[in-house]
Amino acid sequence: MKLLVLLLSILSLTNSQEYSFPDDFLFGVATASYQVEGAWNESDKGENIWDHITHVNPSFVIDESNGDYACDSFHRIAEDVQILKDIGVNFYRFSLSWSRILPTGHINYVSDVGVEYYNNLIDELIANDITPFVTIFHWDITPFVTIFHWDLPQPLLELGARVDYAAKVFELFGDRVKNWITFNEPYQICEQGYSIGDLAPGYTQQGIGGYLCGHTILLAHAQAYQRYYSEFSEQGGRVGLVVHGVWGEPETDSEEDAAAAEAFVQMFFGWFLHPIYSDDGDYPPIMKEQIDALSAEQNFPRSRFPTFTEAQIESLKGASDFLGLNHYGAYLCRAANENDSTVIPSHWHDSGVYCYLSDEWEASASDWFSVTPWGLRSILNWIKDAYGNPEVIVTENGFTTTTGDVVDCRRVNYYNTYLQYLLEAIYEDECNVTGYTAWSVMDNFEWQFGYTAKFGLYSVDFDDENRTRTPKMSSYVYKNIIETRQIDTTYTPDGFDSCDADAATALTISALLISISVGLHFIAHYF
Ligand code: BGC
């Protein structure tokens, strides 16, 4: 099986050389406000959950760092837009900081300084022919610790405020912004923020918190989508949702493993897509059945999984103009057994699936993904088959290293191979993919991993007050792909040596990293 995958990979690399990205296919790069802006207390900006957690509990982040200063992008609009121009991207995906625009979290007070910053950024992009692609909620949401009310869960309380905020930014920026993303990655916001607790706000209510949060986000998404069309449709833009999709590859050819891998994709990815893209709407049936049954077995008086009303199901159906797919890698999956250590109750336990990173795959510097370019093609095909081929924009894809070295052959290889599989998905499988976004334009604050994990096409000197940015080899390779609309694995930018020699070293290092990576992965997901 694995040999077959390897052979297919090699074949695919040679085949796809002939394909060119379609003329109307768009390329971009992405960042998120807390990860790059800095200026955490500039003017009247309010505190958000990442300001809060990194200040009260610095060890929440591996290197005890924070985004107080980050890449200082708040003060570097012209410089950063010039970088985008140099790479030649068609669009820039960035996110708005809720607490910078609405310091109290509510629309009772709008910050002039916050609005001016985003106006300047949007205007500078447009002046340089770069389309703004705007995420309303990334992960740095405004906390509402002061409005806990009896036992009403916090995420549900935030629903109204979130929709008000979305409507406010449509009003403020929608004359120039035509591409909106409501939420970035509901799974990560919810499971990691409200169940596992390794992202802010750091709640650890496994098997309950993440489901309530996910429910709220889906409803807020639908309401924001409808507000756009009822109040702002004359702006002529479109509104989508971004979901992180990890591909689940069956561990073996057995039917059981195929079913486990399918259950994994349904319960981790379909969770947020089925309500919007399936004909019947609502959550994936497998998710409802399994969580309802386990809740009853575990003596909960009602299911831990929330239910939608009929009206809510209808409001979610079709409520997205494109699907934003964040994709980094695949897992191998099989049915879980009693020896697999999982928290009970938890989403992983509810799924009945056990997934891991194969030690045959090249590791990244992040414990949660390896280099599996074929997985991108697989997940795009899954979307096409499950939901009737909706428009997909790859809104994030990229590779981590531990250092910001400008000779970044492994990142070059990652982009070349993932984009080759993307071309095959477009041409051979007819997947409806219209754009691609590299994560990220520059090294930045990587959440709980601080500055230890670097995804940038540009390196940033975090010891220098000016946060000097330097292009890496991968930025030139990406530029060449955008310009030529083709993948050329032999392309070597001026001033750099060919990557071949480095590739061998990289593979040796990756073999060493693999065992560490696999261990960390299990720790992150199962304890
Ligand atoms: C998030 C980014 C993050 C990236 C790499 C995505 O899931 O949207 O904010 O930096 O992954 O971890």
Side-chain angles (χ1 to χ4, degrees), residues 31-32 35 93 138-139 184-185 188 242 244 326 328 366 368-369 396 400 439 444-447 449 455:
T31 61
Q35 296 181 270
R93 177 183 168 221
H138 205 89
W139 295 351
N184 178 67
E185 301 191 341
Q188 280 63 25
V242 165
H244 188 120
N326 288 358
Y328 290 85
S366 297
W368 49 272
F369 77 98
E396 279 183 34
T400 24
W439 181 273
N444 55 47
F445 178 79
E446 176 54 14
W447 307 111
F449 302 105
F455 276 93

Side-chain angles (χ1 to χ4, degrees), residues 328-329 357 361-372 398-402 410-411 414 418 453-455 509-514 516-518 520:
Y328 290 85
L357 299 176
W361 299 339
E362 180 190 349
S364 71
S366 297
D367 59 16
W368 49 272
F369 77 98
S370 298
V371 182
T372 53
F399 182 73
T400 24
T401 46
T402 50
R410 295 179 64 205
R411 182 169 292 102
Y414 182 98
Y418 275 70
K454 309 203 188 278
F455 276 93
I509 296 170
S510 85
L512 286 172
L513 288 174
I514 281 164
I516 303 171
S517 162
V518 171
L520 287 175

